[in-house]
Amino acid sequence: MSSKGKKREQLTLEFADNALLAALGGSQHRNFVHIEKSLNVRVDMRGNLVSIEGEPEARERAATVLRSLYARAESGESVGTAEIDAEIRFASHAAEMRIARDFGQPSIKTAASRVIRARSPAQAAYLDLMRTHPLVFGIGPAGTGKTYLAAAYGAHLLYERKVERLVLSRPAMEAGERLGFLPGDLKEKIDPYLRPLYDALFDTIGDKATRMMETGVIEVAPLAFMRGRTLANAFVILDEAQNCTSAQMKMFLTRLGEDSRMVVTGDVSQSDLPGGQAEGLNEALAILSGIEGVAAAQFSDRDVVRHPLVGRIVRAYDNRSRGEVLPARYRKDSE
């Protein structure tokens, strides 16, 4: 696969496999259309050639995206909107490409047939930190993949037999609601709080997650259950850490045992503690800053990998928290 040449505002790429290229374009070339709309270019395919028209910078980004997507297709991966958006994020952050390209090929295997990729430079850096540090904080808004990637990396370590257990925990804190006394036994009472962790596990591991939980290889438990334990030879995740008090955070961090690694994820802007202050998480970040073996990955609204609207919602709330003025019809003093 190589660049064939330029004609004024046009860049032409040549690919080796005509059939694979056609499959990459998708039904009615919908994948190429998505690239066109996202990067403001025009993409045309003839045989094994793809021509790209547009501004020089946009053309180069589109070419980078197409080459990366073709490499994915060559390795047997399916390519859809999510994969296209991921490659567009990488191509749009040239300064971070050195880190991002470390994850350009499938490298995080969570099961024999499951591969997880980073979908933004920030996610790639996050994976890199988890590889190189025993304690990593993943901080940022909802939808950036903090918990999902932590669970995926833990599953990867299990698959590679580098740890013996995967332990996932979170505070049993109600998100601004009063749920009252839940019916059922202890497991039935706490399961609603832990559901996001279950979802991440089943998505990254598949049906094997159930058997692994039954045998104790994977443990999902409320934060309160961690007191008094030492977690050795394990990958340990604390989710929703913005709801931890200072005492809870210290308790959890000191559970780290021999040959174990730990990831703490949270969004300091969404604490359900009294006063809305993520006291335990903020204090830990401040106290442990600069300590050897500790690293923090910071995510922003541009790293949101859910529905595109989620990123705009996060941005709007951030603007409001910085004191930017709302339209008159939403101001309380206009009522």
Side-chain angles (χ1 to χ4, degrees):
M1 185 171 52
S2 61
S3 296
K4 189 112 175 175
K6 291 185 179 180
K7 294 182 179 179
R8 296 168 60 178
E9 297 296 316
Q10 180 173 293
L11 172 65
T12 301
L13 302 177
E14 181 178 355
F15 296 87
D17 191 327
N18 184 14
L20 187 62
L21 181 62
L24 177 63
S27 176
Q28 298 181 338
H29 290 182
R30 65 174 182 269
N31 289 341
F32 292 158
V33 171
H34 187 70
I35 293 173
E36 289 178 332
K37 291 180 177 179
S38 300
L39 296 176
N40 193 27
V41 295
R42 178 184 175 88
V43 178
D44 288 311
M45 186 187 81
R46 290 188 178 182
N48 66 332
L49 301 178
V50 175
S51 62
I52 307 168
E53 295 181 7
E55 294 298 319
E57 185 176 353
R59 291 200 312 267
E60 291 299 331
R61 285 182 180 176
T64 299
V65 169
L66 284 167
R67 292 187 183 104
S68 297
L69 292 174
Y70 186 85
R72 287 181 181 238
E74 277 188 317
S75 67
E77 291 187 57
S78 60
V79 174
T81 302
E83 289 72 30
I84 295 170
D85 289 339
E87 293 300 341
I88 288 173
R89 290 188 194 98
F90 284 130
S92 299
H93 296 84
E96 298 170 275
M97 286 297 285
R98 180 184 61 81
I99 296 176
R101 288 300 89 190
D102 288 344
F103 301 91
Q105 297 297 324
S107 56
I108 303 299
K109 298 195 75 170
T110 61
S113 60
R114 290 176 181 262
V115 175
I116 304 297
R117 283 179 178 267
R119 291 188 174 182
S120 73
Q123 285 193 352
Y126 184 41
L127 284 173
D128 195 40
L129 290 177
M130 286 191 283
R131 289 183 171 192
T132 56
H133 293 74
L135 174 58
V136 176
F137 290 87
I139 310 300
T144 50
K146 306 181 300 296
T147 303
Y148 182 86
L149 278 182
Y153 191 67
H156 168 73
L157 293 180
L158 279 178
Y159 178 75
E160 296 289 330
R161 298 186 178 182
K162 294 181 178 178
V163 297
E164 294 179 354
R165 290 187 297 158
L166 176 57
V167 180
L168 304 94
S169 183
R170 64 185 295 175
M173 175 70 70
E174 299 165 354
E177 302 177 29
R178 305 308 303 168
L179 301 181
F181 294 97
L182 295 173
D185 59 20
L186 181 61
K187 183 178 185 303
E188 290 171 330
K189 289 177 185 293
I190 65 177
D191 271 0
Y193 297 104
L194 304 175
R195 178 51 53 188
L197 295 178
Y198 289 127
D199 291 344
L201 281 176
F202 281 99
D203 198 38
T204 57
I205 300 177
D207 294 337
K208 289 184 179 179
T210 299
R211 180 169 54 82
M212 294 173 111
M213 285 189 282
E214 291 173 350
T215 58
V217 174
I218 296 178
E219 178 184 353
V220 183
L223 177 60
F225 288 19
M226 295 296 107
R227 187 173 296 278
R229 301 182 59 184
T230 299
L231 303 171
N233 200 14
F235 187 78
V236 190
I237 300 171
L238 175 61
D239 189 33
E240 297 290 327
Q242 73 272 9
N243 291 329
C244 290
T245 64
S246 296
Q248 288 175 323
M249 180 63 73
K250 180 180 178 182
M251 178 275 290
F252 184 82
L253 294 177
T254 54
R255 299 309 93 197
L256 192 63
E258 187 176 358
D259 295 325
S260 289
R261 306 185 192 189
M262 183 177 287
V263 175
V264 177
T265 69
D267 178 359
V268 295
S269 70
Q270 292 197 39
S271 177
D272 298 312
L273 293 173
Q277 299 299 313
E279 58 179 72
L281 181 55
N282 282 328
E283 182 181 77
L285 290 169
I287 291 175
L288 300 179
S289 177
I291 299 294
E292 183 180 356
V294 180
Q298 294 285 343
F299 296 88
S300 67
D301 57 83
R302 74 177 185 176
D303 301 306
V304 172
V305 293
R306 291 180 184 168
H307 191 287
L309 181 57
V310 174
R312 296 195 290 272
I313 291 172
V314 170
R315 199 173 305 120
Y317 272 91
D318 286 346
N319 290 342
R320 174 58 173 165
S321 68
R322 288 193 292 267
E324 296 188 11
V325 179
L326 288 173
R329 65 182 180 278
Y330 296 122
R331 295 183 212 147
K332 290 183 179 180
D333 60 3
S334 68
E335 296 176 353

